[in-house]
Amino acid sequence: MSRVLTVGCAQLGPIQRRDTRVEVVQRLLALLHKAHARGCQLVVFPEMALTTFFPRWYMTDQAEIDSFFEDSMPNAATQILFDEAKRLGIGFYLGYSELATEGNRRMHYNSAILVDRRGKTVGKYRKIHLPGHAEHEPQRPFQHLEKRYYDVGDLGFPVWRAFDGVVGMCICNDRRWPETYRVMGLQGVELLMLGYNTPEFNAAIVEPAHHRMLHHFITMQAGAYQNGTWVVAAAKAGIEEGCMLIGGSCIIAPTGEIVAAANTLGDELLVHDVDLDATTPIKTSVFNFAKHRRPEHYKLIVERAGAVPPPE
Ligand code: CDV
């Protein structure tokens, strides 16, 4: 039986601070309806798909910070998206900021959930590689305070049996790390979904703008090929509150080739027929892990975080 899944990659244009959740959800619904018209069974929305990318601002009022978070999912604003997706028989990945209560602690996660075609939540992922900084750095033109506003995800990198395959999730900066792909690759991932918000200007180092797009593609294409998996990456793009976010939403085959790519910085849907069996040739040849990996020589990867060069 063929395992071809028609997947939509739903790029969003900018979301400004004044935009309400209700208005944003209308945009998600418009993309969902387009996806339905084009036969999609699964749609991937971006990271933080309900709000502006608020870590660009330094804030000290916790109530103001919490206003960017959702304390339940679905909730009053998003229920219509869940209902409509179920009615249309479309599953989806949705990124949002999650406010969770654990005992008497309030935890803040940069999360994504996966909902199946019957409207059942299959899984949740909480972002592990939080980029940026925790303290206000006033010399920057804008902040990247994910390390201040979020807790490190506590759910690992699980995969799920869904959509006739083995699927996994990650979020934005995770895509730059080979560990993200390999941990899921070792669980047989066939389709990896991710959303992202990547500012075009790198406030941490001086680099040409085109490097941003190069690094975006190069890491995902390598991750796809080296693990024999499809990768679907959905951007929030365009000028958000004066800050340019790169577009570059794409669908990448297990060969590492880009098979669909966005050509705008606005709301845009890419569609591809994703053959999950196309993962097999890579998984059974050059990256047949059981046959070729040598974990006894990889111990440093889990024992050490920072690089330690040999003594002079
Ligand atoms: N939202 C992100 O994680 N953005 C980062 C920033 C640091 C560029 C990214 O890796 O794209």
PDB file of all heavy atoms in Angstrom, residues 214-245:
ATOM      1  N   LEU A 214      21.444  30.604   3.839  1.00  0.00           N
ATOM      2  CA  LEU A 214      22.333  29.465   3.599  1.00  0.00           C
ATOM      3  C   LEU A 214      22.311  28.503   4.793  1.00  0.00           C
ATOM      4  O   LEU A 214      22.150  27.290   4.630  1.00  0.00           O
ATOM      5  CB  LEU A 214      23.766  29.978   3.352  1.00  0.00           C
ATOM      6  CG  LEU A 214      24.850  28.900   3.317  1.00  0.00           C
ATOM      7  CD1 LEU A 214      24.723  28.046   2.064  1.00  0.00           C
ATOM      8  CD2 LEU A 214      26.242  29.529   3.357  1.00  0.00           C
ATOM      9  N   HIS A 215      22.474  29.053   5.993  1.00  0.00           N
ATOM     10  CA  HIS A 215      22.547  28.190   7.182  1.00  0.00           C
ATOM     11  C   HIS A 215      21.202  27.508   7.462  1.00  0.00           C
ATOM     12  O   HIS A 215      21.164  26.370   7.949  1.00  0.00           O
ATOM     13  CB  HIS A 215      23.006  29.005   8.401  1.00  0.00           C
ATOM     14  CG  HIS A 215      24.376  29.577   8.218  1.00  0.00           C
ATOM     15  ND1 HIS A 215      24.836  30.691   8.883  1.00  0.00           N
ATOM     16  CD2 HIS A 215      25.392  29.188   7.403  1.00  0.00           C
ATOM     17  CE1 HIS A 215      26.069  30.955   8.488  1.00  0.00           C
ATOM     18  NE2 HIS A 215      26.424  30.070   7.591  1.00  0.00           N
ATOM     19  N   HIS A 216      20.142  28.212   7.140  1.00  0.00           N
ATOM     20  CA  HIS A 216      18.788  27.646   7.287  1.00  0.00           C
ATOM     21  C   HIS A 216      18.654  26.394   6.405  1.00  0.00           C
ATOM     22  O   HIS A 216      18.295  25.318   6.874  1.00  0.00           O
ATOM     23  CB  HIS A 216      17.800  28.748   6.890  1.00  0.00           C
ATOM     24  CG  HIS A 216      16.425  28.310   6.562  1.00  0.00           C
ATOM     25  ND1 HIS A 216      15.585  27.743   7.491  1.00  0.00           N
ATOM     26  CD2 HIS A 216      15.712  28.366   5.384  1.00  0.00           C
ATOM     27  CE1 HIS A 216      14.419  27.474   6.911  1.00  0.00           C
ATOM     28  NE2 HIS A 216      14.477  27.833   5.651  1.00  0.00           N
ATOM     29  N   PHE A 217      19.006  26.538   5.143  1.00  0.00           N
ATOM     30  CA  PHE A 217      18.838  25.404   4.217  1.00  0.00           C
ATOM     31  C   PHE A 217      19.860  24.298   4.467  1.00  0.00           C
ATOM     32  O   PHE A 217      19.540  23.118   4.442  1.00  0.00           O
ATOM     33  CB  PHE A 217      18.956  25.876   2.764  1.00  0.00           C
ATOM     34  CG  PHE A 217      17.757  26.656   2.271  1.00  0.00           C
ATOM     35  CD1 PHE A 217      17.922  27.869   1.626  1.00  0.00           C
ATOM     36  CD2 PHE A 217      16.473  26.174   2.444  1.00  0.00           C
ATOM     37  CE1 PHE A 217      16.821  28.589   1.163  1.00  0.00           C
ATOM     38  CE2 PHE A 217      15.369  26.881   1.988  1.00  0.00           C
ATOM     39  CZ  PHE A 217      15.544  28.095   1.343  1.00  0.00           C
ATOM     40  N   ILE A 218      21.110  24.717   4.678  1.00  0.00           N
ATOM     41  CA  ILE A 218      22.188  23.728   4.710  1.00  0.00           C
ATOM     42  C   ILE A 218      21.994  22.746   5.868  1.00  0.00           C
ATOM     43  O   ILE A 218      22.220  21.536   5.726  1.00  0.00           O
ATOM     44  CB  ILE A 218      23.558  24.450   4.760  1.00  0.00           C
ATOM     45  CG1 ILE A 218      24.641  23.594   4.158  1.00  0.00           C
ATOM     46  CG2 ILE A 218      23.972  24.858   6.153  1.00  0.00           C
ATOM     47  CD1 ILE A 218      25.962  24.366   3.966  1.00  0.00           C
ATOM     48  N   THR A 219      21.551  23.256   7.015  1.00  0.00           N
ATOM     49  CA  THR A 219      21.392  22.365   8.171  1.00  0.00           C
ATOM     50  C   THR A 219      20.210  21.419   7.957  1.00  0.00           C
ATOM     51  O   THR A 219      20.286  20.229   8.285  1.00  0.00           O
ATOM     52  CB  THR A 219      21.206  23.161   9.472  1.00  0.00           C
ATOM     53  OG1 THR A 219      20.226  24.176   9.264  1.00  0.00           O
ATOM     54  CG2 THR A 219      22.492  23.824   9.916  1.00  0.00           C
ATOM     55  N   MET A 220      19.123  21.937   7.407  1.00  0.00           N
ATOM     56  CA  MET A 220      17.949  21.068   7.230  1.00  0.00           C
ATOM     57  C   MET A 220      18.179  20.054   6.114  1.00  0.00           C
ATOM     58  O   MET A 220      17.752  18.895   6.227  1.00  0.00           O
ATOM     59  CB  MET A 220      16.709  21.907   6.934  1.00  0.00           C
ATOM     60  CG  MET A 220      16.296  22.769   8.121  1.00  0.00           C
ATOM     61  SD  MET A 220      14.652  23.452   7.923  1.00  0.00           S
ATOM     62  CE  MET A 220      14.836  24.392   6.427  1.00  0.00           C
ATOM     63  N   GLN A 221      18.845  20.480   5.044  1.00  0.00           N
ATOM     64  CA  GLN A 221      19.099  19.536   3.951  1.00  0.00           C
ATOM     65  C   GLN A 221      20.033  18.410   4.427  1.00  0.00           C
ATOM     66  O   GLN A 221      19.826  17.249   4.095  1.00  0.00           O
ATOM     67  CB  GLN A 221      19.693  20.263   2.742  1.00  0.00           C
ATOM     68  CG  GLN A 221      18.667  21.169   2.060  1.00  0.00           C
ATOM     69  CD  GLN A 221      19.246  21.882   0.850  1.00  0.00           C
ATOM     70  OE1 GLN A 221      19.676  23.025   0.939  1.00  0.00           O
ATOM     71  NE2 GLN A 221      19.265  21.213  -0.281  1.00  0.00           N
ATOM     72  N   ALA A 222      21.037  18.795   5.220  1.00  0.00           N
ATOM     73  CA  ALA A 222      21.948  17.776   5.755  1.00  0.00           C
ATOM     74  C   ALA A 222      21.194  16.849   6.713  1.00  0.00           C
ATOM     75  O   ALA A 222      21.336  15.623   6.652  1.00  0.00           O
ATOM     76  CB  ALA A 222      23.117  18.447   6.477  1.00  0.00           C
ATOM     77  N   GLY A 223      20.361  17.434   7.581  1.00  0.00           N
ATOM     78  CA  GLY A 223      19.610  16.623   8.551  1.00  0.00           C
ATOM     79  C   GLY A 223      18.680  15.635   7.857  1.00  0.00           C
ATOM     80  O   GLY A 223      18.541  14.485   8.283  1.00  0.00           O
ATOM     81  N   ALA A 224      18.049  16.104   6.778  1.00  0.00           N
ATOM     82  CA  ALA A 224      17.137  15.232   6.027  1.00  0.00           C
ATOM     83  C   ALA A 224      17.922  14.063   5.432  1.00  0.00           C
ATOM     84  O   ALA A 224      17.582  12.886   5.631  1.00  0.00           O
ATOM     85  CB  ALA A 224      16.441  16.035   4.931  1.00  0.00           C
ATOM     86  N   TYR A 225      18.973  14.382   4.711  1.00  0.00           N
ATOM     87  CA  TYR A 225      19.762  13.344   4.020  1.00  0.00           C
ATOM     88  C   TYR A 225      20.420  12.372   5.003  1.00  0.00           C
ATOM     89  O   TYR A 225      20.321  11.149   4.856  1.00  0.00           O
ATOM     90  CB  TYR A 225      20.818  14.034   3.149  1.00  0.00           C
ATOM     91  CG  TYR A 225      21.896  13.117   2.639  1.00  0.00           C
ATOM     92  CD1 TYR A 225      21.577  12.028   1.812  1.00  0.00           C
ATOM     93  CD2 TYR A 225      23.238  13.324   2.966  1.00  0.00           C
ATOM     94  CE1 TYR A 225      22.571  11.175   1.354  1.00  0.00           C
ATOM     95  CE2 TYR A 225      24.229  12.481   2.511  1.00  0.00           C
ATOM     96  CZ  TYR A 225      23.892  11.401   1.706  1.00  0.00           C
ATOM     97  OH  TYR A 225      24.874  10.551   1.262  1.00  0.00           O
ATOM     98  N   GLN A 226      21.044  12.914   6.045  1.00  0.00           N
ATOM     99  CA  GLN A 226      21.820  12.056   6.947  1.00  0.00           C
ATOM    100  C   GLN A 226      20.941  11.144   7.797  1.00  0.00           C
ATOM    101  O   GLN A 226      21.445  10.241   8.458  1.00  0.00           O
ATOM    102  CB  GLN A 226      22.707  12.920   7.855  1.00  0.00           C
ATOM    103  CG  GLN A 226      23.837  13.583   7.074  1.00  0.00           C
ATOM    104  CD  GLN A 226      24.555  14.667   7.854  1.00  0.00           C
ATOM    105  OE1 GLN A 226      24.070  15.142   8.870  1.00  0.00           O
ATOM    106  NE2 GLN A 226      25.722  15.058   7.371  1.00  0.00           N
ATOM    107  N   ASN A 227      19.640  11.409   7.781  1.00  0.00           N
ATOM    108  CA  ASN A 227      18.736  10.573   8.554  1.00  0.00           C
ATOM    109  C   ASN A 227      17.630   9.966   7.695  1.00  0.00           C
ATOM    110  O   ASN A 227      16.738   9.297   8.216  1.00  0.00           O
ATOM    111  CB  ASN A 227      18.134  11.388   9.706  1.00  0.00           C
ATOM    112  CG  ASN A 227      19.216  11.790  10.689  1.00  0.00           C
ATOM    113  OD1 ASN A 227      19.599  11.010  11.547  1.00  0.00           O
ATOM    114  ND2 ASN A 227      19.775  12.986  10.522  1.00  0.00           N
ATOM    115  N   GLY A 228      17.697  10.223   6.394  1.00  0.00           N
ATOM    116  CA  GLY A 228      16.703   9.657   5.478  1.00  0.00           C
ATOM    117  C   GLY A 228      15.293  10.036   5.860  1.00  0.00           C
ATOM    118  O   GLY A 228      14.399   9.194   5.979  1.00  0.00           O
ATOM    119  N   THR A 229      15.065  11.357   6.053  1.00  0.00           N
ATOM    120  CA  THR A 229      13.729  11.811   6.460  1.00  0.00           C
ATOM    121  C   THR A 229      13.274  13.007   5.638  1.00  0.00           C
ATOM    122  O   THR A 229      14.106  13.797   5.165  1.00  0.00           O
ATOM    123  CB  THR A 229      13.707  12.185   7.958  1.00  0.00           C
ATOM    124  OG1 THR A 229      12.380  12.579   8.326  1.00  0.00           O
ATOM    125  CG2 THR A 229      14.654  13.331   8.302  1.00  0.00           C
ATOM    126  N   TRP A 230      11.981  13.145   5.470  1.00  0.00           N
ATOM    127  CA  TRP A 230      11.411  14.374   4.937  1.00  0.00           C
ATOM    128  C   TRP A 230      11.478  15.445   6.017  1.00  0.00           C
ATOM    129  O   TRP A 230      11.342  15.135   7.206  1.00  0.00           O
ATOM    130  CB  TRP A 230       9.940  14.168   4.553  1.00  0.00           C
ATOM    131  CG  TRP A 230       9.738  13.289   3.366  1.00  0.00           C
ATOM    132  CD1 TRP A 230       9.599  11.929   3.351  1.00  0.00           C
ATOM    133  CD2 TRP A 230       9.657  13.704   1.998  1.00  0.00           C
ATOM    134  NE1 TRP A 230       9.439  11.475   2.069  1.00  0.00           N
ATOM    135  CE2 TRP A 230       9.465  12.551   1.222  1.00  0.00           C
ATOM    136  CE3 TRP A 230       9.723  14.937   1.353  1.00  0.00           C
ATOM    137  CZ2 TRP A 230       9.333  12.590  -0.170  1.00  0.00           C
ATOM    138  CZ3 TRP A 230       9.596  14.986  -0.030  1.00  0.00           C
ATOM    139  CH2 TRP A 230       9.405  13.827  -0.776  1.00  0.00           C
ATOM    140  N   VAL A 231      11.683  16.692   5.605  1.00  0.00           N
ATOM    141  CA  VAL A 231      11.630  17.824   6.546  1.00  0.00           C
ATOM    142  C   VAL A 231      10.678  18.863   5.960  1.00  0.00           C
ATOM    143  O   VAL A 231      10.797  19.227   4.780  1.00  0.00           O
ATOM    144  CB  VAL A 231      13.031  18.452   6.770  1.00  0.00           C
ATOM    145  CG1 VAL A 231      12.929  19.719   7.618  1.00  0.00           C
ATOM    146  CG2 VAL A 231      13.974  17.447   7.450  1.00  0.00           C
ATOM    147  N   VAL A 232       9.740  19.302   6.784  1.00  0.00           N
ATOM    148  CA  VAL A 232       8.813  20.365   6.367  1.00  0.00           C
ATOM    149  C   VAL A 232       9.025  21.535   7.317  1.00  0.00           C
ATOM    150  O   VAL A 232       8.863  21.390   8.536  1.00  0.00           O
ATOM    151  CB  VAL A 232       7.351  19.889   6.417  1.00  0.00           C
ATOM    152  CG1 VAL A 232       6.409  21.013   5.988  1.00  0.00           C
ATOM    153  CG2 VAL A 232       7.165  18.667   5.524  1.00  0.00           C
ATOM    154  N   ALA A 233       9.412  22.692   6.766  1.00  0.00           N
ATOM    155  CA  ALA A 233       9.794  23.842   7.598  1.00  0.00           C
ATOM    156  C   ALA A 233       8.945  25.055   7.227  1.00  0.00           C
ATOM    157  O   ALA A 233       8.978  25.533   6.092  1.00  0.00           O
ATOM    158  CB  ALA A 233      11.267  24.159   7.387  1.00  0.00           C
ATOM    159  N   ALA A 234       8.167  25.555   8.200  1.00  0.00           N
ATOM    160  CA  ALA A 234       7.248  26.674   7.948  1.00  0.00           C
ATOM    161  C   ALA A 234       7.708  27.920   8.702  1.00  0.00           C
ATOM    162  O   ALA A 234       7.863  27.899   9.929  1.00  0.00           O
ATOM    163  CB  ALA A 234       5.834  26.296   8.393  1.00  0.00           C
ATOM    164  N   ALA A 235       7.901  29.007   7.956  1.00  0.00           N
ATOM    165  CA  ALA A 235       8.391  30.269   8.542  1.00  0.00           C
ATOM    166  C   ALA A 235       7.256  31.178   8.951  1.00  0.00           C
ATOM    167  O   ALA A 235       6.182  31.166   8.353  1.00  0.00           O
ATOM    168  CB  ALA A 235       9.236  31.024   7.516  1.00  0.00           C
ATOM    169  N   LYS A 236       7.545  32.024   9.928  1.00  0.00           N
ATOM    170  CA  LYS A 236       6.836  33.309  10.050  1.00  0.00           C
ATOM    171  C   LYS A 236       7.806  34.292   9.406  1.00  0.00           C
ATOM    172  O   LYS A 236       8.970  34.370   9.814  1.00  0.00           O
ATOM    173  CB  LYS A 236       6.525  33.635  11.494  1.00  0.00           C
ATOM    174  CG  LYS A 236       5.898  35.011  11.654  1.00  0.00           C
ATOM    175  CD  LYS A 236       4.573  34.972  12.399  1.00  0.00           C
ATOM    176  CE  LYS A 236       4.726  34.512  13.817  1.00  0.00           C
ATOM    177  NZ  LYS A 236       5.604  35.376  14.614  1.00  0.00           N
ATOM    178  N   ALA A 237       7.333  35.045   8.403  1.00  0.00           N
ATOM    179  CA  ALA A 237       8.226  35.800   7.538  1.00  0.00           C
ATOM    180  C   ALA A 237       7.799  37.258   7.396  1.00  0.00           C
ATOM    181  O   ALA A 237       6.666  37.615   7.720  1.00  0.00           O
ATOM    182  CB  ALA A 237       8.242  35.146   6.155  1.00  0.00           C
ATOM    183  N   GLY A 238       8.736  38.070   6.910  1.00  0.00           N
ATOM    184  CA  GLY A 238       8.399  39.458   6.600  1.00  0.00           C
ATOM    185  C   GLY A 238       8.685  40.399   7.761  1.00  0.00           C
ATOM    186  O   GLY A 238       9.227  40.003   8.797  1.00  0.00           O
ATOM    187  N   ILE A 239       8.287  41.645   7.584  1.00  0.00           N
ATOM    188  CA  ILE A 239       8.656  42.677   8.569  1.00  0.00           C
ATOM    189  C   ILE A 239       7.642  42.698   9.708  1.00  0.00           C
ATOM    190  O   ILE A 239       6.512  43.157   9.550  1.00  0.00           O
ATOM    191  CB  ILE A 239       8.776  44.061   7.909  1.00  0.00           C
ATOM    192  CG1 ILE A 239       9.819  44.007   6.794  1.00  0.00           C
ATOM    193  CG2 ILE A 239       9.178  45.115   8.948  1.00  0.00           C
ATOM    194  CD1 ILE A 239       9.966  45.299   6.017  1.00  0.00           C
ATOM    195  N   GLU A 240       8.099  42.183  10.854  1.00  0.00           N
ATOM    196  CA  GLU A 240       7.252  42.100  12.037  1.00  0.00           C
ATOM    197  C   GLU A 240       7.766  43.134  13.030  1.00  0.00           C
ATOM    198  O   GLU A 240       8.912  43.028  13.493  1.00  0.00           O
ATOM    199  CB  GLU A 240       7.365  40.676  12.622  1.00  0.00           C
ATOM    200  CG  GLU A 240       6.133  40.203  13.300  1.00  0.00           C
ATOM    201  CD  GLU A 240       6.272  38.804  13.897  1.00  0.00           C
ATOM    202  OE1 GLU A 240       7.076  38.627  14.835  1.00  0.00           O
ATOM    203  OE2 GLU A 240       5.572  37.902  13.440  1.00  0.00           O
ATOM    204  N   GLU A 241       6.942  44.096  13.377  1.00  0.00           N
ATOM    205  CA  GLU A 241       7.341  45.132  14.331  1.00  0.00           C
ATOM    206  C   GLU A 241       8.718  45.710  13.991  1.00  0.00           C
ATOM    207  O   GLU A 241       9.588  45.851  14.852  1.00  0.00           O
ATOM    208  CB  GLU A 241       7.323  44.564  15.763  1.00  0.00           C
ATOM    209  CG  GLU A 241       5.958  44.105  16.240  1.00  0.00           C
ATOM    210  CD  GLU A 241       4.971  45.267  16.423  1.00  0.00           C
ATOM    211  OE1 GLU A 241       5.401  46.426  16.400  1.00  0.00           O
ATOM    212  OE2 GLU A 241       3.764  44.981  16.565  1.00  0.00           O
ATOM    213  N   GLY A 242       8.935  45.961  12.698  1.00  0.00           N
ATOM    214  CA  GLY A 242      10.185  46.587  12.249  1.00  0.00           C
ATOM    215  C   GLY A 242      11.357  45.634  12.125  1.00  0.00           C
ATOM    216  O   GLY A 242      12.465  46.045  11.763  1.00  0.00           O
ATOM    217  N   CYS A 243      11.146  44.362  12.378  1.00  0.00           N
ATOM    218  CA  CYS A 243      12.239  43.377  12.339  1.00  0.00           C
ATOM    219  C   CYS A 243      11.972  42.391  11.203  1.00  0.00           C
ATOM    220  O   CYS A 243      10.924  41.735  11.182  1.00  0.00           O
ATOM    221  CB  CYS A 243      12.270  42.651  13.695  1.00  0.00           C
ATOM    222  SG  CYS A 243      13.404  41.288  13.757  1.00  0.00           S
ATOM    223  N   MET A 244      12.904  42.293  10.260  1.00  0.00           N
ATOM    224  CA  MET A 244      12.704  41.405   9.108  1.00  0.00           C
ATOM    225  C   MET A 244      12.977  39.949   9.486  1.00  0.00           C
ATOM    226  O   MET A 244      14.048  39.612   9.983  1.00  0.00           O
ATOM    227  CB  MET A 244      13.638  41.823   7.956  1.00  0.00           C
ATOM    228  CG  MET A 244      13.618  40.885   6.769  1.00  0.00           C
ATOM    229  SD  MET A 244      11.979  40.740   6.008  1.00  0.00           S
ATOM    230  CE  MET A 244      12.106  41.994   4.748  1.00  0.00           C
ATOM    231  N   LEU A 245      11.981  39.106   9.245  1.00  0.00           N
ATOM    232  CA  LEU A 245      12.141  37.663   9.456  1.00  0.00           C
ATOM    233  C   LEU A 245      12.321  37.006   8.088  1.00  0.00           C
ATOM    234  O   LEU A 245      11.550  37.299   7.162  1.00  0.00           O
ATOM    235  CB  LEU A 245      10.902  37.075  10.142  1.00  0.00           C
ATOM    236  CG  LEU A 245      10.540  37.635  11.526  1.00  0.00           C
ATOM    237  CD1 LEU A 245       9.195  37.072  11.993  1.00  0.00           C
ATOM    238  CD2 LEU A 245      11.631  37.316  12.539  1.00  0.00           C
TER     239      LEU A 245
END
